[in-house]
Amino acid sequence: MALDAGADDAVGWTDNLTEVLARIASLLRRSRIAAGQLGEGELRIDLIDRRVERAGRLIRLPLREFDLLANLARVPDRPLSRAALLRAVWRLDFDPGTNRVEVHMSRLRAKVDRGFDWPMLHTVKGMGYTLRSRPD
């Protein structure tokens, strides 16, 4: 058997084509993350070189904005709370009572969304912020 020989996954010729394609897409996503790559659609984030491109255009980001975008890109289309972002980006387990997340999100939006056909960064009322992988 392929799995006994060390394969991560195996499918037979009689398996559902939709499932086979979904498994292939999943493996490709995992290999990109393992290779230090994040991003969906026109957004590409290189975690090793700390490089961001949208639609082939280089976007220069300072450390905190890069970390903020990378955290949002790890879970595209799902909101991250302000508390989760404070914990992941600033290593704070409490709310310092400042607007640092909002300020950095505003700066990030100006760089990642301005001048493009559609915005990727969104505020989700009562939940936090999300990076959308495709237009609404």
Side-chain angles (χ1 to χ4, degrees):
M1 298 220 53
L3 295 174
D4 292 332
D8 290 332
D9 198 0
V11 292
W13 289 106
T14 60
D15 285 342
N16 181 338
L17 180 60
T18 305
E19 181 181 349
V20 171
L21 293 174
R23 286 179 183 212
I24 291 170
S26 175
L27 288 170
L28 289 172
R29 276 193 307 274
R30 278 188 271 159
S31 69
R32 269 188 288 161
I33 290 172
Q37 301 288 317
L38 283 176
E40 293 288 325
E42 58 187 36
L43 182 70
R44 294 285 171 248
I45 302 171
D46 185 322
L47 298 171
I48 296 166
D49 293 335
R50 302 186 73 79
R51 181 181 172 94
V52 176
E53 289 183 11
R54 181 167 178 191
R57 187 173 12 163
L58 179 65
I59 300 172
R60 298 190 189 284
L61 297 176
L63 177 66
R64 296 287 187 214
E65 290 171 23
F66 180 89
D67 289 344
L68 188 57
L69 182 63
N71 276 280
L72 292 167
R74 282 186 176 94
V75 290
D77 302 311
R78 294 195 332 218
L80 281 177
S81 69
R82 186 175 186 285
L85 292 170
L86 282 167
R87 201 170 25 259
V89 177
W90 287 273
R91 309 284 188 248
L92 294 175
D93 288 328
F94 63 95
D95 189 341
T98 65
N99 64 345
R100 73 176 61 195
V101 175
E102 292 79 5
V103 168
H104 281 83
M105 280 301 298
S106 175
R107 291 178 182 162
L108 190 56
R109 279 187 177 118
K111 295 170 184 170
V112 173
D113 289 342
R114 195 169 291 146
F116 292 96
D117 293 339
W118 56 278
M120 295 185 89
L121 298 168
H122 294 268
T123 302
V124 182
K125 260 194 186 270
M127 297 186 77
Y129 300 94
T130 189
L131 178 119
R132 299 243 171 95
S133 59
R134 59 187 75 76
D136 290 338

